[in-house]
Amino acid sequence: DAGVIQSPRHEVTEMGQEVTLRCKPISGHDYLFWYRQTMMRGLELLIYFNNNVPIDDSGMPEDRFSAKMPNASFSTLKIQPSEPRDSAVYFCASRTGGWNTEAFFGQGTRLTVV
Amino acid sequence: AQKITQTQPGMFVQEKEAVTLDCTYDTSDPSYGLFWYKQPSSGEMIFLIYQGSYDQQNATEGRYSLNFQKARKSANLVISASQLGDSAMYFCAMRSTMNRDDKIIFGKGTRLHILP
């Protein structure tokens, strides 16, 4: 398996623009997580899905952020409109439902909003 | 509320010495799992080791071991015979299933520098 695949790897956009980050989880994994990493706040869980259903979105910072998982092999995280404070590395991770299974991370998307 | 605390923002260690990275956690869930991840400068997140709350023995994976003290709610990572390639950010993480929730939360990390 190719692992968790995220695209794009880098994104530079202007304030106010819409940004869409994409993730393809590992085949067969039931859970998908979106994390945001910044120097100040570390790794924050934004939202996670179980079997394509959003379970907990309490970490989504505000209404400008939205996430979808239309099927088991694809998820998006959208920011509209983007702001400079959204600049961060966004990670997608997936895992199976087993109790002792770790989450496998994608390479991350480095977002810069100017 | 569930919480992971890593009190050492940075550490400097001489090559070949053993390293202990601290991690304490807070949860009222009797069943939980603890993870350690490594993030080198290239940015990827690498899983190192797992400890279940009901595991009787401390987890070990090669040069990594987890010093699990359940009563103290601590899960320190021990790296034996450190190498230059161990220089990285290290994250402690916890999975618990309180209130039918099932997520993994992370501490803020410890940056480890191995000195030649």
Side-chain angles (χ1 to χ4, degrees), chain B residues 14-80:
Chain B
Q14 208 67 39
E15 190 182 8
K16 300 182 184 177
E17 291 184 352
V19 181
T20 297
L21 304 180
D22 295 341
C23 172
T24 58
Y25 58 91
D26 189 18
T27 181
S28 53
D29 189 351
S31 181
Y32 51 90
L34 297 155
F35 304 81
W36 278 91
Y37 283 81
K38 173 184 179 181
Q39 186 179 41
S41 57
S42 51
E44 71 265 36
M45 294 287 286
I46 302 168
F47 165 71
L48 296 178
I49 196 167
Y50 168 83
Q51 178 84 44
S53 58
Y54 292 119
D55 292 344
Q56 295 297 314
Q57 293 187 329
N58 286 344
T60 60
E61 289 286 348
R63 294 187 300 112
Y64 304 108
S65 61
L66 204 151
N67 183 3
F68 181 47
Q69 298 187 42
K70 194 170 182 178
R72 294 186 175 186
K73 293 190 174 179
S74 76
N76 298 340
L77 177 70
V78 180
I79 307 174
S80 63

